[in-house]
Amino acid sequence: MTRVLPEDLDTRLATRAVHAGQRPEEDPAGAIMTPIYQTSTYQQPALGEHKGFEYARTRNPTRDALERNLAALEGATHGFAFASGMAATDAVLRLLSSGDHVICGDNVYGGTHRIMTMVLERFGLDFSFVDTRDIGNVEAALTERTKMVFVETPTNPMMRLTDIRAAAELCRARDVVLVVDNTFATPVLQRPIELGAEVVVHSTTKYINGHSDVVGGAVLTTSDDLAEQLGFIQNAAGAVPGPLDCWLTLRGIKTLPVRMAQHDRSGRVIAQWAAEHPKVERVYYPGLPDHPQHELACRQMSGFGGMISLELGSLERARAVANGTRLFALAESLGGVESLIGHPASMTHASVPKAMREEMGLSDGLIRLSVGIEDTEDLIADLEQALQATGAA
Ligand SMILES: *Cc1c(COP(=O)(O)O)cnc(C)c1O
């Protein structure tokens, strides 16, 4: 278990991003950067003695630094790094036992839905998927066996929000653990722990690392009891990241606050531009005043980020735009410095039955943008030329 250093909690977010969990090494040269401890084991000075490090599945100094840093960013007291976002979610779900019930948002990441229904149901866990935009639906789904509520906000690609504070109040009253997947917003734009959540999970693959060169995940918590169990599960199951990936992620995080500021700045401008564009039928972005949960977004987020979905009205137009951009690369994933464009119906959400997709508004004409940190005007010009190629509005 990696605990946050108390001095790291004294500082503000941008300072934590650069320094938390890391100290210049004393030996041999005082390196400013945390070294990559590329080792599987550690020499023990004598039988029964060691420096806290015995074997690298259990602990590694580069990973320790990343875990402390991530926990400090989220305002948590304990951090755990994993080999992927899904490994992090899997570890959280392994806190449960056969017979336990989980209430999960119905618009969560596809892989989260998949591990719940296709893997963990076989082990006797029971899942209910509800529309968590209305906390009344969560309350109505609670049973005596409910042990966890798992939400993602904003969701992908429909940009639906869950009121984290209201969910946390409901969970606390029933002794249920609230888990928030904070991958889309990051601790820069949304602070689930300050709003009352006990556990935060991340796919660090996305904004946290931010450079599209590492797959990773993390779990952060304020609960000593859950941290004890999570540390046990992390070591027992062993889905840990290697030291080089931890180091790359630490390096990526140093610029997280400045990157998020630019994603947010461009995201707002591009969403507004798209909302006024005759060839765009609808824009899904929590920062637009006509987003049905804009007021909640203003209350629980300090910015709206760079994820935008556009309804273009038909598969043909979606295809023309997805194939026609030059700066926006057609790719899965999100949150990197470079802009990406995706077609959820045929890419990330292809495994969701068409009827279910349509019910949630995820039509064949929907495209999703991950707005990078390039020049905003260049990005708009790229989208404009791709939209013009779709023909008459
Ligand atoms: C990508 C993603 C995940 C899964 O993370 P991996 O690193 O791909 O395993 C989980 N939740 C959200 C919101 C994601 O975008």
Side-chain angles (χ1 to χ4, degrees), residues 162-335:
T162 298
D163 185 333
I164 298 173
R165 191 184 292 280
E169 275 165 21
L170 181 68
C171 287
R172 191 165 316 109
R174 309 286 190 111
D175 214 13
V176 169
V177 176
L178 175 63
V179 182
V180 176
D181 181 334
N182 203 27
T183 298
F184 260 44
T186 82
V188 178
L189 303 181
Q190 179 169 275
R191 325 249 342 129
I193 284 176
E194 286 164 17
L195 295 167
E198 245 180 307
V199 177
V200 169
V201 301
H202 274 283
S203 168
T204 55
T205 313
K206 316 294 170 51
Y207 285 108
I208 294 271
N209 176 58
H211 293 73
S212 306
D213 50 13
V214 176
V215 171
V219 181
L220 303 317
T221 184
T222 49
S223 158
D224 292 343
D225 175 42
L226 293 180
E228 191 78 46
Q229 298 177 57
L230 284 163
F232 187 85
I233 292 165
Q234 182 194 39
N235 182 51
V240 293
L244 176 60
D245 284 357
C246 293
W247 184 87
L248 282 166
T249 307
L250 271 172
R251 183 166 80 162
I253 291 170
K254 289 178 193 293
T255 57
L256 178 69
V258 286
R259 283 188 282 113
M260 291 313 292
Q262 181 60 22
H263 288 299
D264 182 51
R265 210 159 23 234
S266 273
R268 291 179 199 227
V269 173
I270 292 173
Q272 186 59 45
W273 167 83
E276 291 163 12
H277 200 288
K279 294 197 176 194
V280 177
E281 293 191 357
R282 186 160 173 198
V283 181
Y284 297 89
Y285 186 70
L288 289 176
D290 71 347
H291 185 283
Q293 295 172 291
H294 179 62
E295 186 269 330
L296 172 61
C298 292
R299 223 180 329 128
Q300 76 178 11
M301 303 176 77
S302 58
F304 311 108
M307 298 304 301
I308 307 171
S309 294
L310 306 179
E311 175 56 55
L312 300 179
S314 72
L315 175 61
E316 290 64 41
R317 286 196 198 147
R319 183 183 286 129
V321 172
N323 289 339
T325 52
R326 295 173 194 146
L327 278 174
F328 281 85
L330 180 61
E332 298 209 359
S333 200
L334 60 105

